[in-house]
Amino acid sequence: MTAPLRIAIAGLGTVGIGLIRILQTHPQMIAARAGRPVEIVAVSARSKGKDRGLDLSAYAWEDDPVALARRDDIDLFVEVIGGHEGPAKEATEAAIAAGHHVVTANKALLAHHGNEIALAAEETGVALRFEAAVAGGIPVIKALTEGLAGNEIARVLGVMNGTCNYILTRMEDAGLTYEEAFSEADGLGYLEADPTLDVGGIDAGHKLALLAAIAYGTRVDFDAVELEGIGSVTIEDIRQAADMGYKIKLLGVAQMTGRGLEQRMSPCLVPDTSPLGQLEGGTNMVVIEGDAVGQIVLRGAGAGAGPTASAVIGDIIDIARGLRLPAFGQPAASLRRARAARAAVPAPYYLRMALADKPGALAKIAACLGEAGISIDRMRQYGHVDQSAPVLIVTHKTTRSALDEAIDAFSGTGVLVGTPVAIRIENV
Amino acid sequence: MTAPLRIAIAGLGTVGIGLIRILQTHPQMIAARAGRPVEIVAVSARSKGKDRGLDLSAYAWEDDPVALARRDDIDLFVEVIGGHEGPAKEATEAAIAAGHHVVTANKALLAHHGNEIALAAEETGVALRFEAAVAGGIPVIKALTEGLAGNEIARVLGVMNGTCNYILTRMEDAGLTYEEAFSEADGLGYLEADPTLDVGGIDAGHKLALLAAIAYGTRVDFDAVELEGIGSVTIEDIRQAADMGYKIKLLGVAQMTGRGLEQRMSPCLVPDTSPLGQLEGGTNMVVIEGDAVGQIVLRGAGAGAGPTASAVIGDIIDIARGLRLPAFGQPAASLRRARAARAAVPAPYYLRMALADKPGALAKIAACLGEAGISIDRMRQYGHVDQSAPVLIVTHKTTRSALDEAIDAFSGTGVLVGTPVAIRIENV
């Protein structure tokens, strides 16, 4: 058995404490798998006195995570503070500058500064690993970077925010409105301090940007992610989608197209018989499609102390064993700048609108679609309520721009009541 | 870019040709991810002249795989011949003795000789990798050995033979008998030359033995796998199971118990709403349950040229990058000899039998169960057909030995017609 790997942990929230708990519970098992003991040397957090339910007395304490990162008695720095600026970023940069390996669970930090941080790590010759940053306990970065490295990736997609999936599942199962399901999730402590990170799709968008960089050998480009949250999803759409054999999911999709890299995080309809359609509650799922392997589906807990700490420890053990991979699967300097393609891939769309009780109303809408080159796969009109009739249309494959053109034209017909809803149907 | 990794490929069947096709199609992508080019130096197969649809003229040819394995101009030997004795074994051993890394897709070889081969590789200081041997393109060995290395594994289970799952799915969907579905699979070329390897559960049992060794740090012990094939599954059982909310799957389960390591490969009932229950056709699925991560589900193609070659290339790229892990996650010499526990974990069971048209028949059966300490969860008796009545019983959790005791006692009652069917219900 060689010398222990000495680690420092910055951040003693859920993940940091989960990590310490595992290292305290299974030291022999981890040493056997890592080929050497993994030893916690020092920790830092905001409040030293707080009772965290664990004995931390054996570890040195630092009030300042940057000072922790610079200690000369550590080999590896674990950043589980969170946030894409401030202490998390400063401490990560300090650790790299001091020649320490870094393991982080911080998707926001890497989505915003991943390119520079990976470059710095490679220049200093230290490892930078972040399995816990995407889909919690699911070893998806490892699968994509290593296990499936022989594949040209056709598409990466998935449900990567458990809170949103919980809200959508509750709307579907219990018939709750969005507001009711949101309140329930909030009461259960599922939401981030800033809930927009969850329901606005930002958190999941961070994860998608990281997966896209690995899948396509491109620089992380979070600003190019088309973001749409779940706040506009209504119980009516969930019911209508279910009635036609679909579920509504906050789906992230990364796909290289002839026009560039498309990265979308938005509510989509998926077939209810597909693995994604069957995913309920707070679970995450990532689907990877490769030219050789076909479709690989990975499913598991996307958050929580145990799953996230499991991913952090996997990274620590890799580093203890001597694994030195570029953070994004190939050297950061070689990652290409991809052109951002917005809505380049055609898809069928679900449209819901209300039409005024006038003769020929539906014909006018159909004409708008036809003029935009969009053909109709299925259509339903329901009985009139309050002078207007709900209409559902499923189109054949079309581009988002053609669809937007048609929707613009709808308003000129004088038969539209309110604003139409359009949701992409993702073929999975 | 450093020196190329020079490889030799023994076996030019589906997988060998699939592998060459990928290496010929994506040389730059693979070099970028491997940090160096991967170069095929030499190949061998039984028939040199055969048209394999690929240009092999750039590679040296060896008639003898052992001679190929001993070449001094290679770094890595790929064994995709198959079979657990003969050329595959000899060539693998020769490659290790010559100081070459080995990547193999050969589950039978490793299930029978994995301990010795891993030990030899470690003594010589070469890598031995076998991702393709278990569940084809799914990177499950990587997930278990590396990504989830921080977990104590509670259970590993899965559907690991696509042919059996295809047959069972066709029986369910199309109402075919076992014989009809078997013939259909045979006609489609899905069956091994010796079909017992598939339908007898042997092939899947090999895979289970490898996963168990990795999950529990134990020596590979294929002889301790309790094997039961799908030949006795009837369309009646599939229908009755479906009616009660279950699917029948050939399920492999490895679990460490207080009495030792349990390894079972047998038809089981699983809830039809579970990921395993929803798995249709030739797809594979492995479920890993860890103390920190909870349940991780991995799904994908378990066979075929592309998926299997994808796994082989993942291993080759790992080795090109310098990854040197013990084959089973920890040094072969440190793997424990686990006691084999047969049917140690209690479970509910599904029982189907026919009872004679006699007063009190059902009471006698119920009494046998009660005397064996088995309580009944659900029971159904159907109308009499030909002097006998079909009876279905779902028990509460019980041990297999208590169940066998009760079934033995059934025959003494004089009311049993034919032999009862008992199938374990696995809680997933």
Side-chain angles (χ1 to χ4, degrees):
Chain A
M1 191 85 37
T2 52
L5 181 82
R6 299 163 305 168
I7 73 171
I9 301 169
L12 296 178
T14 312
V15 181
I17 292 298
L19 175 61
I20 296 174
R21 202 178 294 279
I22 297 176
L23 289 167
Q24 288 184 349
T25 310
H26 298 304
Q28 270 96 27
M29 182 189 81
I30 289 168
R33 293 178 180 172
R36 56 202 280 210
V38 173
E39 185 187 310
I40 304 171
V41 168
V43 298
S44 83
R46 249 177 289 186
S47 150
K48 184 170 181 182
K50 189 172 167 188
D51 180 9
R52 297 179 168 92
L54 275 180
D55 180 7
L56 306 175
S57 60
Y59 319 135
W61 179 275
E62 299 274 3
D63 287 317
D64 175 10
V66 174
L68 183 75
R70 289 190 180 134
R71 284 178 72 103
D72 60 8
D73 58 354
I74 64 167
D75 305 304
L76 185 153
F77 178 74
V78 179
E79 187 275 295
V80 282
I81 303 169
H84 70 276
E85 303 293 347
K89 179 161 181 277
E90 288 156 30
T92 297
E93 289 168 345
I96 291 170
H100 302 323
H101 305 298
V102 171
V103 174
T104 175
N106 193 330
K107 57 222 77 161
L109 176 66
L110 292 173
H112 287 279
H113 306 291
N115 300 312
E116 307 87 271
I117 294 174
L119 211 52
E122 285 165 30
E123 280 167 5
T124 320
V126 298
L128 169 68
R129 312 267 302 167
F130 54 92
E131 183 65 82
V134 180
I138 306 175
V140 57
I141 292 183
K142 184 168 274 288
L144 203 50
T145 326
E146 305 174 39
L148 305 175
N151 288 266
E152 188 167 84
I153 301 300
R155 187 170 60 158
V156 180
L157 67 165
V159 168
M160 292 179 266
N161 183 287
T163 305
C164 288
N165 206 51
Y166 177 84
I167 290 173
L168 293 173
T169 302
R170 288 293 291 158
M171 288 173 73
E172 160 133 17
D173 289 354
L176 304 182
T177 64
Y178 171 76
E179 289 72 20
E180 288 164 346
F182 179 96
S183 296
E184 190 180 279
D186 198 18
L188 290 164
Y190 289 179
L191 284 155
E192 301 265 358
D194 173 5
T196 320
L197 288 173
D198 286 315
V199 298
I202 298 169
D203 166 80
H206 289 153
K207 298 169 187 170
L208 182 70
L210 298 177
L211 289 182
I214 294 169
Y216 298 108
T218 51
R219 290 167 58 86
V220 184
D221 189 2
F222 171 65
D223 291 339
V225 178
E226 293 175 69
L227 277 183
E228 187 190 330
I230 60 168
S232 60
V233 175
T234 65
I235 182 74
E236 287 74 22
D237 292 317
I238 286 185
R239 283 190 188 132
Q240 296 295 358
D243 202 36
M244 293 188 296
Y246 295 104
K247 297 277 176 84
I248 299 183
K249 298 289 174 192
L250 177 65
L251 199 69
V253 182
Q255 193 163 5
M256 188 59 79
T257 75
R259 289 163 50 194
L261 176 62
E262 181 164 329
Q263 302 179 80
R264 286 181 278 115
M265 180 60 64
S266 62
C268 286
L269 270 66
V270 295
D272 58 11
T273 53
S274 65
L276 281 164
Q278 290 164 348
L279 188 73
E280 301 199 331
T283 313
N284 281 20
M285 180 176 284
V286 181
V287 179
I288 302 170
E289 294 172 353
D291 63 344
V293 80
Q295 191 184 71
I296 294 285
V297 179
L298 311 170
R299 174 192 151 122
T308 312
S310 164
V312 170
I313 296 211
D315 282 345
I316 293 174
I317 291 178
D318 272 351
I319 291 173
R321 283 161 161 167
L323 183 68
R324 298 290 176 272
L325 286 184
F328 294 99
Q330 52 184 288
S334 75
L335 298 173
R336 289 180 300 120
R337 233 176 246 283
R339 203 174 125 185
R342 290 188 174 262
V345 184
Y349 279 84
Y350 158 97
L351 286 172
R352 182 173 60 83
M353 65 198 85
L355 298 188
D357 187 5
K358 293 183 185 170
L362 194 56
K364 288 182 179 166
I365 294 298
C368 295
L369 288 167
E371 276 158 34
I374 301 170
S375 60
I376 295 174
D377 177 22
R378 284 189 274 170
M379 201 276 296
R380 290 182 190 177
Q381 176 166 349
Y382 295 87
H384 287 74
V385 186
D386 297 338
Q387 315 290 310
S388 76
V391 169
L392 290 182
I393 295 171
V394 172
T395 72
H396 282 291
K397 274 192 184 180
T398 179
T399 60
R400 180 74 213 199
S401 57
L403 191 75
D404 288 342
E405 185 190 315
I407 292 173
D408 277 351
F410 290 172
S411 28
T413 59
V415 301
L416 196 63
V417 178
T419 311
V421 171
I423 309 179
R424 185 183 173 98
I425 301 176
E426 191 74 22
N427 175 30
V428 290
Chain B
M1 192 83 40
T2 52
L5 181 82
R6 301 163 303 168
I7 73 171
I9 301 169
L12 296 177
T14 312
V15 181
I17 291 299
L19 175 61
I20 294 174
R21 201 178 296 278
I22 296 176
L23 289 167
Q24 288 184 350
T25 310
H26 297 306
Q28 270 96 25
M29 181 188 81
I30 289 168
R33 293 177 180 175
R36 54 201 281 208
V38 173
E39 185 187 311
I40 304 172
V41 169
V43 297
S44 84
R46 250 178 289 188
S47 150
K48 184 171 182 180
K50 188 172 167 187
D51 180 9
R52 296 181 168 90
L54 274 181
D55 180 7
L56 304 176
S57 61
Y59 318 136
W61 180 274
E62 299 274 2
D63 287 317
D64 175 11
V66 175
L68 183 75
R70 288 191 181 133
R71 285 178 71 103
D72 59 9
D73 58 355
I74 64 167
D75 305 304
L76 185 152
F77 178 74
V78 179
E79 187 276 295
V80 282
I81 303 169
H84 70 276
E85 303 291 348
K89 180 162 181 277
E90 288 157 30
T92 297
E93 290 168 344
I96 291 170
H100 303 323
H101 306 298
V102 171
V103 174
T104 175
N106 194 329
K107 56 222 78 164
L109 175 66
L110 292 173
H112 287 281
H113 306 290
N115 300 311
E116 306 88 271
I117 294 174
L119 211 52
E122 285 166 30
E123 280 166 5
T124 319
V126 298
L128 169 68
R129 311 267 303 168
F130 54 93
E131 184 65 81
V134 180
I138 306 175
V140 57
I141 291 182
K142 183 167 275 289
L144 202 49
T145 326
E146 304 173 40
L148 305 175
N151 287 266
E152 187 167 85
I153 301 300
R155 188 169 60 159
V156 180
L157 67 166
V159 168
M160 292 179 266
N161 183 285
T163 305
C164 288
N165 206 50
Y166 177 84
I167 290 174
L168 293 173
T169 302
R170 288 294 291 160
M171 289 173 72
E172 159 134 17
D173 289 353
L176 304 182
T177 63
Y178 171 75
E179 289 72 20
E180 289 164 346
F182 179 95
S183 296
E184 189 180 280
D186 199 18
L188 291 164
Y190 288 179
L191 284 155
E192 301 265 358
D194 172 6
T196 320
L197 288 174
D198 286 314
V199 298
I202 298 168
D203 166 81
H206 289 152
K207 298 168 187 171
L208 183 69
L210 298 176
L211 289 183
I214 294 169
Y216 298 108
T218 52
R219 290 168 58 87
V220 184
D221 189 1
F222 171 64
D223 291 339
V225 178
E226 293 175 69
L227 278 182
E228 187 190 330
I230 61 168
S232 60
V233 175
T234 65
I235 183 74
E236 286 76 21
D237 291 317
I238 285 185
R239 283 190 187 134
Q240 297 295 357
D243 202 36
M244 292 188 296
Y246 296 103
K247 297 278 177 81
I248 300 183
K249 298 288 173 190
L250 177 64
L251 198 70
V253 182
Q255 193 164 6
M256 188 59 79
T257 75
R259 290 161 51 192
L261 176 62
E262 181 164 329
Q263 302 179 79
R264 287 180 276 115
M265 180 59 65
S266 62
C268 286
L269 270 66
V270 295
D272 58 12
T273 52
S274 65
L276 282 163
Q278 290 165 347
L279 188 72
E280 301 200 331
T283 313
N284 281 19
M285 180 176 284
V286 181
V287 179
I288 302 170
E289 294 171 354
D291 63 344
V293 81
Q295 190 184 72
I296 294 285
V297 179
L298 311 170
R299 175 192 152 124
T308 312
S310 163
V312 170
I313 297 212
D315 283 344
I316 293 174
I317 290 177
D318 272 351
I319 292 173
R321 282 162 163 167
L323 183 67
R324 299 290 176 271
L325 286 184
F328 294 99
Q330 52 184 286
S334 75
L335 298 172
R336 289 179 302 120
R337 232 176 248 286
R339 205 175 123 186
R342 290 188 174 263
V345 184
Y349 280 83
Y350 157 98
L351 285 171
R352 183 173 59 83
M353 66 197 87
L355 299 187
D357 187 6
K358 293 181 184 171
L362 194 57
K364 287 180 180 167
I365 293 299
C368 294
L369 288 167
E371 276 159 34
I374 300 170
S375 60
I376 295 174
D377 177 21
R378 284 191 275 171
M379 201 275 297
R380 290 182 188 177
Q381 176 167 346
Y382 296 87
H384 287 74
V385 186
D386 299 339
Q387 314 291 307
S388 76
V391 169
L392 289 182
I393 295 171
V394 171
T395 73
H396 282 291
K397 274 192 184 179
T398 179
T399 60
R400 180 76 214 199
S401 57
L403 191 76
D404 288 342
E405 187 191 311
I407 291 173
D408 278 351
F410 290 172
S411 29
T413 60
V415 301
L416 197 64
V417 179
T419 311
V421 171
I423 309 178
R424 185 184 174 99
I425 301 175
E426 192 74 21
N427 175 32
V428 290

